Amino acid sequence: MCRHLAYLGPEEPLGRVLMEPPHSLFRQSWAPRRQRYGTVNADGFGVGWYASQDPVPARYRRAGPIWADLSFADLSRVVRSGAVLAAVRDATFAGADAEAAAAPFASGRWLFSHNGAVAGWPDAAAPLVSALPPVELLSLQARNDSAFVWALVLHRLRSGDEADQAMGETVRQLAWAAPASRLNLLLTDGATITATAWGDSLWYRTEPGRSTVVASEPYDDDPLWREVPDRTVLTASRAGVLLAPLEDPAASPALGSARAGAPRSPKEPCR
């Protein structure tokens, strides 16, 4: 459920990245080609982008389907950016928290999206609540699992983790608590992209030194697209892409229990 995409490259109109390709994110909202769970992503959408010389991104989010928003069609024609994160949403509980539940979530220079679901939500996530300071838990803007996943990632970033550590450790923590979860996460600060493949499709396309796209599925049939293996963390910039395996906590119960709530040093990584 859900499809998302992050782009780094030369400044382009948003529509050229999100709407014009033959199998664009726009089209994936009603006709995804590789979506394994759900068929229509009509429960909200959002796009975040970075303006030149401004590290804090702008966002445009709505609770309805992207194809029904004529204002976004107009906006995407004229707004240009070299760094974009966008998502279309298929919610388990349609309408809950309206646009506040739609990715991308944001804090400071960060934009974040979650493609998947925390299995057994919310009961399965209860053991992880203690990992968050009470004020961060009370500050959640939506009650869905993706907002909670973002809170876990953001807490690690604020504690000093690098992006790949924050994403990888959060995925392992959630996979230990809720083993059947699908946890494809996408994060950008406008200069880098970090993503995880855990239970759903993830692809990337890179022209080193020029542009990189990371997406739930290819938006065209260019042979440059490469599929990311499951259980992988991806780090990317305009220069290229690096892949590293993610350990499954099911293979190491001691590791899983340690991740669930134990203190760690600052440097330990939609629906």
Side-chain angles (χ1 to χ4, degrees), residues 170-266:
T170 296
V171 165
R172 283 191 283 260
Q173 187 179 28
L174 286 160
W176 172 83
S181 297
R182 302 189 302 279
L183 301 164
N184 281 30
L185 312 184
L186 191 56
L187 177 75
T188 186
D189 61 359
T192 62
I193 298 169
T194 308
T196 59
W198 192 285
D200 213 324
S201 63
L202 188 69
W203 293 71
Y204 70 90
R205 178 189 184 281
T206 185
E207 297 179 74
R210 176 175 170 81
S211 67
T212 296
V213 183
V214 180
S216 296
E217 58 184 72
Y219 56 51
D220 59 22
D221 294 322
D222 192 312
L224 287 177
W225 286 101
R226 296 289 183 269
E227 188 168 14
V228 179
D230 197 36
R231 306 300 196 262
T232 296
V233 60
L234 172 152
T235 56
S237 67
R238 290 171 176 84
V241 172
L242 294 174
L243 304 177
L246 277 173
E247 180 182 353
D248 191 331
S252 177
L255 174 63
S257 58
R259 298 303 182 208
R264 57 177 177 77
S265 67

Side-chain angles (χ1 to χ4, degrees), residues 65-148:
I66 191 171
W67 68 75
D69 193 315
L70 299 181
S71 294
F72 179 70
D74 205 34
L75 178 149
S76 69
R77 179 177 55 85
V78 297
V79 173
R80 303 173 64 90
S81 179
V84 178
L85 192 155
V88 290
R89 181 175 183 238
D90 176 17
T92 299
F93 305 107
D97 295 311
E99 69 185 50
F105 300 96
S107 179
R109 71 184 194 275
W110 298 106
L111 291 171
F112 172 86
S113 177
H114 169 212
N115 165 206
V118 175
W121 173 264
D123 303 63
L128 306 183
V129 168
S130 61
L132 293 175
V135 69
E136 293 184 19
L137 190 64
L138 293 172
S139 298
L140 291 177
Q141 295 184 1
R143 295 163 293 173
N144 63 331
D145 58 348
S146 296
F148 181 70

